[in-house]
Amino acid sequence: MAQVLEFKLPDLGEGLTEAEIVRWLVQVGDVVAVDQPVVEVETAKAMVEVPCPYGGVVTARFGEEGTELPVGAPLLTVAVGEREPEPEGSGNVLVGYGTQAPAARRRRVRATTGAVDGQGVRRAADGNGQAAPSGAPADGRATRRATVRADAHAPAREAAPAVAQAPVSATTTPASPATPTAAPSEGPVPVISPLVRKLARDNGVDLRRLTGSGPEGLILRADVENALRAAAAPVRTAEEPVVRAPAAPVAQGGGTRIPLKGVRGAVADKLSRSRREIPDATCWVDADATELMRARAAMNAAGGPKISLLALLARICTVGLARFPELNSFVDTEAREVVRLDQVHLGFAAQTERGLVVPVVRDAHARDAESLTAEFARLTEAARTGTLTPGELTGGTFTLNNYGVFGVDGSTPIINHPEAAMLGVGRIVPKPWVHEGELAVRQVVQLSLTFDHRVCDGGTAGGFLRYVADCVEQPAVLLRTL
């Protein structure tokens, strides 16, 4: 007899707690193989194809395209052939991108479910793990009870219930937005995301007074934000007329509301956090890049792989960070310590159709200009196609931002939290410049450094920026320090 297994949205790594369904790759009734990609989802880090660890026939899908699901929510069910009571599937767990061997994972919501037979009847487990009575009702929506485990990030007294969602159909009605209840509800708070808990805790929102808009009443981040907006709205007196807001997505005054989610939302959150937590300062300098451009032209004329300007600037940065290690660090706010790092994992800003992303070149300090050029090209192409993995978008220690490609000269970059500094590079353009005592037209670039004033003072930041400018003006300086 076939057994139906439920495949839940796996932990995608890097602390991500939710993902949006972008495109289903299989239909109900399709036969899937072990580790075959079944759905494409977008996280705050990247677009990811999720492989299913089971092989068999797809019997149900959960969530329409555009639906945001938390980690642990059901994705689909697969009918497989006869197996042992504890089927192993592929034995793989998705972490980041693709599958890999199972590893220890943080505690989170886990649902205990039984199998669904051909008529859609599900045998459920109750809160004690005992099988439901044979006479218990079951319908086509495959109602289940769940075993609840406490959220590892939440207070010990709170527990997050497992989330279950019915298979989508043409008649599925969207969930209503969260609304405060008259009094705190009984039982565990339906929250799975530690980020949502923290947002509510930091703003004094009682989660027990909210009704979630997610599957099975799950409280989402948007629900907490809606409650905060409602609390901040002015109180209307009985004499004041009721003004109804226009329906989304049209905003009052004819504008359009665009949800801050996915990559755009992640960028907004990270930049806001950087501004809140990091006391940054910016210094800048103009540099004559004529000799650097000539050196690059000579290198490329010698044959072999072409060297990019970004790779040369990256090489200068890594050597500069070895001389000024204070800028290759981060602040541990809880320990009140500055943590200086041994390796340079160099991030670089890349603008894509999905928004701004910062891919990271691992061990940039150990790469030559040719290797850096190849890695920049690979990561840029992956950013353009939306195939960067979460691991390729995190873990940077210093960021290089070439905003000159947008035709601008200067900027005051926002530090990529939790890093300590970012070097900005403007466009390189012909300008009047005093060279060897004579006025001449030279290729001039503006360099700017935004740094965390907690890790160093202006002398260190200015020393690093001056070293970078000297290498740009006289590439031989770089050779003397290698």
Side-chain angles (χ1 to χ4, degrees):
M1 177 180 177
Q3 184 180 13
V4 175
L5 302 177
E6 186 177 71
F7 174 45
K8 300 179 178 66
L9 178 63
D11 184 346
L12 300 173
E14 303 296 341
L16 300 172
T17 59
E18 56 196 17
E20 178 181 330
I21 296 176
V22 175
R23 182 168 59 99
W24 281 105
L25 305 178
V26 295
Q27 305 291 330
V28 173
D30 286 356
V31 177
V32 296
V34 171
D35 288 342
Q36 175 182 333
V38 293
V39 64
E40 186 178 70
V41 302
E42 182 179 26
T43 71
K45 301 292 185 183
M47 202 86 75
V48 178
E49 286 187 351
V50 181
C52 179
Y54 310 124
V57 178
V58 177
T59 58
R61 301 187 318 193
F62 299 87
E64 298 176 344
E65 293 179 354
T67 301
E68 194 171 75
L69 297 178
V71 168
L75 275 177
L76 50 76
T77 54
V78 178
V80 301
E82 293 185 0
R83 291 191 177 220
E84 297 298 323
E86 297 293 332
E88 297 182 356
S90 68
N92 291 336
V93 178
L94 184 76
V95 176
Y97 197 80
T99 57
Q100 64 181 37
R105 300 168 66 180
R106 67 179 184 274
R107 287 195 304 168
R108 65 174 190 275
V109 177
R110 299 181 66 182
T112 303
T113 62
V116 179
D117 62 21
Q119 298 177 347
V121 179
R122 181 183 301 272
R123 291 175 295 175
D126 64 17
N128 298 317
Q130 301 298 321
S134 58
D139 57 22
R141 296 191 61 188
T143 304
R144 66 182 69 78
R145 299 190 183 96
T147 299
V148 178
R149 287 195 176 184
D151 191 326
H153 297 273
R157 69 178 183 275
E158 294 182 351
V163 178
Q165 181 180 350
V168 297
S169 66
T171 59
T172 300
T173 55
S176 59
T179 56
T181 59
S185 60
E186 299 296 332
V189 180
V191 177
I192 191 174
S193 169
L195 298 178
V196 174
R197 290 182 181 274
K198 184 177 186 303
L199 178 63
R201 183 170 59 251
D202 291 348
N203 291 277
V205 175
D206 186 351
L207 291 172
R208 297 179 184 276
R209 292 184 177 273
L210 299 183
T211 300
S213 62
E216 298 293 318
L218 181 72
I219 297 176
L220 306 178
R221 182 190 308 167
D223 300 330
V224 178
E225 292 171 345
N226 289 338
L228 291 173
R229 281 192 291 268
V235 178
R236 184 178 60 84
T237 65
E239 292 76 15
E240 292 176 337
V242 176
V243 179
R244 299 190 182 278
V250 179
Q252 190 171 4
T256 302
R257 293 181 181 270
I258 302 174
L260 276 176
K261 62 180 183 178
V263 172
R264 185 72 260 167
V267 170
D269 293 341
K270 195 157 192 177
L271 295 181
S272 297
R273 183 178 183 185
S274 179
R275 278 293 192 226
R276 278 196 312 271
E277 297 185 8
I278 299 178
D280 59 345
T282 302
C283 52
W284 56 90
V285 65
D286 289 339
D288 179 2
T290 305
E291 296 305 321
L292 180 67
M293 300 298 286
R294 287 176 178 170
R296 175 176 176 251
M299 294 169 68
N300 290 337
K306 302 297 183 182
I307 304 300
S308 70
L309 178 62
L310 189 63
L312 294 179
L313 293 170
R315 192 74 186 96
I316 292 172
C317 282
T318 58
V319 177
L321 290 173
R323 295 169 64 91
F324 299 90
E326 298 91 337
L327 296 172
N328 192 54
S329 64
F330 70 91
V331 175
D332 184 336
T333 54
E334 292 186 3
R336 292 185 62 83
E337 295 176 341
V338 175
V339 182
R340 293 187 184 176
L341 304 167
D342 297 327
Q343 290 82 30
V344 178
H345 301 314
L346 188 69
F348 66 99
Q351 190 70 41
T352 71
E353 293 181 356
R354 298 172 59 238
L356 177 69
V357 295
V358 184
V360 177
V361 177
R362 302 287 168 183
D363 297 316
H365 62 286
R367 296 175 181 265
D368 58 17
E370 183 177 324
S371 173
L372 287 167
T373 298
E375 188 66 355
F376 280 132
R378 184 187 73 81
L379 291 172
T380 299
E381 177 61 19
R384 185 187 67 80
T385 58
T387 57
L388 286 169
T389 71
E392 291 170 333
L393 286 166
T394 54
T397 64
F398 184 91
T399 296
L400 177 60
N401 186 1
N402 180 21
Y403 45 75
V405 296
F406 302 118
V408 298
D409 297 325
S411 173
T412 54
I414 299 177
I415 296 174
N416 187 23
H417 185 281
E419 297 170 14
M422 176 186 292
L423 179 71
V425 182
R427 61 177 180 164
I428 301 177
V429 293
K431 287 185 179 180
W433 191 267
V434 176
H435 177 65
E436 296 180 350
E438 300 287 339
L439 186 63
V441 176
R442 306 285 287 181
Q443 300 292 317
V444 178
V445 62
Q446 185 180 99
L447 306 171
S448 62
L449 178 73
T450 297
F451 64 98
D452 186 338
H453 224 315
R454 296 173 298 179
V455 306
C456 68
D457 295 324
T460 300
F464 172 83
L465 186 59
R466 187 64 257 171
Y467 174 79
V468 171
D470 289 345
C471 290
V472 168
E473 293 185 339
Q474 304 174 50
V477 171
L478 177 64
L479 297 177
R480 287 199 299 267
T481 58
L482 291 178

